[in-house]
Amino acid sequence: MYASAVRGLLVRGMLAGLIAGLFAFAVAYVVGEPPVRGSIAVEEAQAAQDAASAPSAHAGHGGDAASGEAAEEEEELVSRPVQSTFGLATGVLVYGVALGGIASLAFSFALGRIGGFSPRATAALTAAGAFATVYLVPFLKYPATPPAVGNPDTIGQRTTLFFLMILLSVLLGIGAIILGRRLAPRLGNWNATLTASAGFIVAAALAFAFLPDNSDAVQPGFPAALLWEFRVASLAVQLVLWAVFAVVFGVLAQRLLAARADGAEGTAPAQQEAPALG
């Protein structure tokens, strides 16, 4: 009976993710691109310094041929202007649509099950929880770094650790919600929420302690100010993405569920019809 409602929420979640992606792209381009360009300039300066200090044995005809081959191998398949505009926009928009769809499904399950919140409030709580578990907690353990900054030989290991942290964070978040619901009848909603939140923080701290650090994620000598600027920009992009999604999706979901409630005879307000959506 409510499959159409879930489908409608999914479509609206993807639309809200697309709109949020547009705002996130604007922030990424204006705030995030300068430190990226700066990190590339640092990499190029370091490469030029290494080439200048290379042994003279590489000079001569054979060395020139080798240098020409290396230059051909390092030639970019996609130019930097395209990467920073069309490529960046495509990546951010696809990311926003995908996360919007997933968040809308989480919203469908959460609405009416985490308290008597309206669709708008539930959308805000869902977005806040997704931002915290999918990005903020993993970011605190493995902060974002500009391209070509870390050791290229450990990219696979670092990527695996980052996604492992995301998985653990999401599972811990789900566990905290389940714990809070079970403690609510005995402790009350407020105390149960505080207890579950404290449990999540303790469990996340244990994960931080036991998972290895990315000691080679940043090369020695990389400008600290530039690294800080990039990380703040990365955090700002995610904040804008989830904040815009929460507002847009909250409005769309509220209208959809209110229209369904008005169209049904003797139906309770939209937020009370939510438990059946999952």
Side-chain angles (χ1 to χ4, degrees):
M1 177 179 179
Y2 294 102
S4 61
V6 175
R7 184 166 56 251
L9 290 172
L10 176 61
V11 172
R12 284 158 178 79
M14 296 174 69
L15 176 60
L18 178 63
I19 297 173
L22 291 173
F23 282 86
F25 164 69
V27 175
Y29 184 77
V30 174
V31 180
E33 272 301 304
V36 171
R37 290 194 294 267
S39 67
I40 293 175
V42 170
E43 180 197 14
E44 292 175 347
Q46 183 62 42
Q49 181 179 356
D50 294 341
S53 61
S56 58
H58 293 285
H61 180 73
D64 293 340
S67 300
E69 292 177 359
E72 290 179 359
E73 291 178 358
E74 295 177 0
E75 184 179 356
E76 293 181 340
L77 296 177
V78 181
S79 65
R80 179 61 195 151
V82 174
Q83 292 178 16
S84 63
T85 53
F86 181 76
L88 177 63
T90 301
V92 173
L93 293 179
V94 170
Y95 179 79
V97 171
L99 288 187
I102 296 173
S104 67
L105 295 179
F107 167 89
S108 300
F109 178 81
L111 184 60
R113 289 185 171 91
I114 59 174
F117 299 104
S118 68
R120 289 184 180 179
T122 304
L125 291 174
T126 302
F131 168 75
T133 56
V134 175
Y135 182 78
L136 182 59
V137 172
F139 175 85
L140 294 176
K141 175 61 178 177
Y142 301 118
T145 55
V149 170
N151 184 353
D153 296 333
T154 61
I155 290 179
Q157 177 186 359
R158 288 186 276 127
T159 302
T160 300
L161 289 174
F162 181 73
F163 280 103
L164 176 60
M165 190 65 236
I166 292 177
L167 177 61
L168 288 175
S169 178
V170 171
L171 292 177
L172 290 176
I174 295 174
I177 294 174
I178 295 175
L179 177 63
R181 290 192 61 192
R182 291 186 176 181
L183 293 178
R186 183 172 34 172
L187 302 180
N189 289 333
W190 178 252
N191 290 332
T193 301
L194 292 179
T195 302
S197 300
F200 174 82
I201 293 174
V202 171
L206 290 175
F208 279 25
F210 283 101
L211 286 176
D213 295 329
N214 281 338
S215 58
D216 57 352
V218 180
Q219 294 179 354
F222 188 82
L226 187 59
L227 179 62
W228 174 254
E229 183 181 352
F230 177 84
R231 288 176 173 174
V232 170
S234 176
L235 185 62
V237 170
Q238 292 290 330
L239 276 172
V240 170
L241 177 71
W242 287 108
V244 174
F245 172 81
V247 173
V248 175
F249 180 69
V251 172
L252 296 178
Q254 182 84 34
R255 291 179 178 178
L256 173 66
L257 297 177
R260 287 182 58 85
D262 293 340
E265 297 180 1
T267 305
Q271 58 266 35
Q272 296 181 1
E273 134 183 319
L277 291 179

